[in-house]
Amino acid sequence: MGPGGVFLVHSAYGRIGEFDVGGTEIIGYDETSGAYRSHFFDSQGNVTVSRLVADGDTWTYQGDTTRSTVEFSDGHRVQTVLHERTDDGTTYRTSMQVTLIKVE
């Protein structure tokens, strides 16, 4: 939780092949639009802003050229994530599928 308890701060790090990847995500509620927003700052200097819809154990992120579907399981310890991209705004293709496991 961020200062004041109104933002969620999420750091993510991993490897894709031989490359270190990751970034920092900040999630907050946008009262103007009535939606949650995610701002993700990645390790290559990119910023992705997405609308976030949480529906039970499924979270859906929708950005301008990206979207992701997150399925939570095992008491929210496991996240199965499908990342997709579009070049034309209509046709999406898989860019990455990952399974994340919380280690305690």
Side-chain angles (χ1 to χ4, degrees):
M1 206 51 78
V6 295
F7 295 100
L8 177 67
V9 179
H10 166 233
S11 295
Y13 298 96
R15 291 185 62 78
I16 297 177
E18 295 186 21
F19 298 99
D20 291 326
V21 296
T24 300
E25 176 184 27
I26 300 173
I27 299 172
Y29 185 72
D30 180 1
E31 288 189 26
T32 304
S33 68
Y36 287 95
R37 296 272 179 224
S38 164
H39 294 77
F40 186 74
F41 304 86
D42 75 21
S43 55
Q44 281 77 47
N46 301 302
V47 179
T48 303
V49 179
S50 302
R51 181 171 192 238
L52 170 60
V53 175
D55 183 14
D57 289 338
T58 302
W59 287 18
T60 306
Y61 292 79
Q62 181 68 55
D64 290 337
T65 60
T66 60
R67 68 182 180 192
S68 300
T69 303
V70 181
E71 296 285 342
F72 291 93
S73 60
D74 192 17
H76 287 179
R77 286 188 59 252
V78 176
Q79 295 178 39
T80 304
V81 187
L82 172 64
H83 295 275
E84 299 174 295
R85 299 191 58 77
T86 182
D87 293 323
D88 62 9
T90 304
T91 306
Y92 283 84
R93 67 183 191 287
T94 299
S95 57
M96 179 172 45
Q97 284 184 279
V98 296
T99 299
L100 308 168
I101 302 170
K102 181 179 180 180
V103 178
E104 299 186 43

